[in-house]
Amino acid sequence: MSIKDEMTIQEEIETPRSPHLLSAKNIYHIYRGKAERASVVALKGVSFDLDPGEFVSIVGPSGSGKSTLLQIIGGLMRPTAGAVFFEGQDVTKTPEEELTMFRRRQVGFVFQEGNLLLDLSAFDNVNQSMALNGLPYQHRKKRTLELLDLMGVLHRKNQIANRLSGGERQRVAIARAMANNPKLIIADEPTGNVDFTTSVRLLELFKELNRETGMTMLSATHSNHVAGYADRSIELRDGLLLGLHGKGIDLAQLDMSRMVVMDSDNRLTLPANIMAQLGSFGGLWAIDVVDQSKILLTPLESLTEQAPSIISDTETKECPVCSTFNPIDGQFCISCGARF
Ligand SMILES: Nc1ncnc2c1ncn2[C@@H]1O[C@H](COP(=O)(O)OP(=O)(O)O)[C@@H](O)[C@H]1O
Ligand SMILES: [Mg+2]
């Protein structure tokens, strides 16, 4: 090894800074069933990175795990397994008090319902989020008025949130989310409850903010509009990262723009449209690399019949993530997909 190589490696060890604002690593989440309700594996090993200043949307049908993922990214909930690095710090391991500070200072949340305190005025809703961070009143007042103005709701500053229209509430919610100048805005179906015209205006505002302030935006949606405004989209399906999409996607035609992703655990999820074309779910396949750039899958029908049963009656062990019993020679949990 040359001296230069050794120096580069040494520098990397000493300064392990990643260029990403955020990295989600192999996130699993299980909602444990109570009484007769079965446990739900909502996320099955999701990994992705967000760079500073990006506007990214998470798309996928209802129940695919979007809200669960956003809550984990924003430190509102801890995952069952996996890690979320925010500027290099793993927020999933951060003690509760520090995590509260992280949420207040680094992340702004906007939810479908507007997450405002309904009996406080528009002004107080924005102002109060800064008070929690101990900023002096004059500073808070100035910023609150600026933000309400930017959102086009300054004239409604004294109205209690309960009396605001859905669109006005969302504008105040965005002002509130931005008040502490967070590095990341997390928005869960932010235009879910507003009419079309308002939703277009809100998205333009998001886009302007993203461009002008450089705040990173991560938004979950099944609205074509929201997704269309993002720089790129992450597609979830049944708790798995199914693919990535570039700018200007059409949710009705995701099959046209999807790029599949080999995740950090070397797993590749094949989309349903490809599986349907292959005409076979499950079974055994021979896999080969062609021309060093293409993967060739060949069905092995004769072997399928001889394939050993993967469930053994006696030799099983419990999955550390979802507690399902698995054959001891398996590498992945047959229920939630965790590695063990
Ligand atoms: N609090 C909860 N308790 C039990 N199951 C839940 C809870 N929240 C969500 N789920 C389940 O987890 C899965 C993912 O849900 P969610 O993250 O809300 O998806 P999305 O936001 O994409 O609609 C769904 O099957 C949903 O029913
Ligand atoms: Mg949701």
Side-chain angles (χ1 to χ4, degrees):
M1 192 188 292
S2 72
I3 292 175
K4 187 163 176 269
D5 288 343
E6 275 179 299
M7 279 173 66
T8 312
I9 290 170
Q10 191 57 37
E11 272 169 25
E12 280 172 8
I13 293 169
E14 283 166 10
T15 50
R17 279 191 67 79
S18 130
H20 307 304
L21 175 71
L22 182 143
S23 293
K25 303 266 188 221
N26 217 9
I27 307 275
Y28 286 82
H29 194 74
I30 297 175
Y31 291 105
R32 299 264 172 223
K34 293 195 183 98
E36 275 117 62
R37 301 184 70 180
S39 291
V40 177
V41 187
L43 297 172
K44 301 173 183 169
V46 175
S47 303
F48 66 92
D49 300 314
L50 269 187
D51 289 338
E54 275 197 299
F55 185 156
V56 174
S57 71
I58 300 180
V59 299
S62 187
S64 49
K66 304 184 295 296
S67 297
T68 305
L69 185 59
L70 287 189
Q71 289 180 66
I72 290 170
I73 298 286
L76 292 169
M77 198 163 72
R78 292 186 198 267
T80 310
V84 177
F85 292 96
F86 191 97
E87 294 191 321
Q89 188 188 350
D90 184 356
V91 296
T92 65
K93 308 274 184 308
T94 307
E96 203 53 49
E97 235 169 75
E98 225 179 290
L99 193 62
T100 307
M101 296 311 283
F102 160 76
R103 281 195 302 261
R104 278 189 203 151
R105 298 210 165 133
Q106 311 279 28
V107 190
F109 295 94
V110 181
F111 296 104
Q112 182 173 358
E113 303 300 333
N115 60 300
L116 295 183
L117 298 163
L118 291 178
D119 50 356
L120 290 189
S121 68
F123 180 92
D124 285 339
N125 260 289
V126 180
N127 183 38
Q128 188 234 30
S129 66
M130 286 181 278
L132 293 171
N133 277 347
L135 291 172
Y137 180 74
Q138 281 312 320
H139 177 105
R140 283 187 273 139
K141 182 177 170 192
K142 183 166 173 281
R143 180 143 177 87
T144 300
L145 296 175
E146 273 169 13
L147 286 169
L148 290 176
D149 193 19
L150 183 67
M151 292 295 139
V153 282
L154 185 59
H155 61 297
R156 305 290 271 156
K157 66 179 190 296
N158 295 324
Q159 190 62 270
I160 61 163
N162 218 357
R163 297 258 178 87
L164 297 171
S165 72
E168 287 170 341
R169 245 183 250 170
Q170 279 310 63
R171 286 162 189 255
V172 176
I174 297 172
R176 181 183 156 95
M178 289 174 48
N180 291 309
N181 233 340
K183 293 197 173 117
L184 175 65
I185 298 254
I186 290 182
D188 197 354
E189 308 278 3
T191 61
N193 268 346
V194 296
D195 60 62
F196 181 77
T197 319
T198 311
S199 110
V200 170
R201 183 67 199 122
L202 283 177
L203 284 163
E204 278 166 3
L205 279 171
F206 260 128
K207 194 81 194 169
E208 264 168 56
L209 288 173
N210 173 248
R211 235 186 345 247
E212 281 164 23
T213 65
M215 278 183 203
T216 307
M217 303 266 181
L218 182 64
S219 151
T221 187
H222 34 228
S223 142
N224 229 1
H225 275 99
V226 184
Y229 269 78
D231 298 324
R232 62 186 177 100
S233 296
I234 294 167
E235 184 184 2
L236 281 189
R237 185 72 56 93
D238 293 332
L240 283 168
L241 198 161
L242 186 60
L244 295 182
H245 302 261
K247 225 179 165 69
I249 61 165
D250 180 352
L251 292 189
Q253 304 208 32
L254 287 174
D255 293 346
M256 309 290 289
S257 55
R258 184 181 294 120
M259 295 171 279
V260 291
V261 186
M262 180 90 70
D263 74 12
S264 49
D265 270 341
N266 289 335
R267 286 172 307 193
L268 183 68
T269 307
L270 290 183
N273 65 319
I274 301 293
M275 294 304 288
Q277 282 176 47
L278 291 173
S280 167
F281 293 86
L284 280 181
W285 299 77
I287 183 164
D288 258 314
V289 177
V290 188
D291 300 338
Q292 300 190 330
S293 62
K294 298 187 188 81
I295 298 172
L296 180 69
L297 287 174
T298 314
L300 295 172
E301 276 155 40
S302 53
L303 272 178
T304 314
E305 281 159 25
Q306 299 158 20
S309 159
I310 58 162
I311 305 286
S312 148
D313 285 343
T314 48
E315 295 178 298
T316 58
K317 74 174 173 190
E318 193 177 339
C319 168
V321 178
C322 72
S323 307
T324 298
F325 281 90
N326 287 265
I328 55 164
D329 54 348
Q331 285 194 327
F332 296 98
C333 170
I334 54 172
S335 173
C336 73
R339 258 177 187 299
F340 53 85

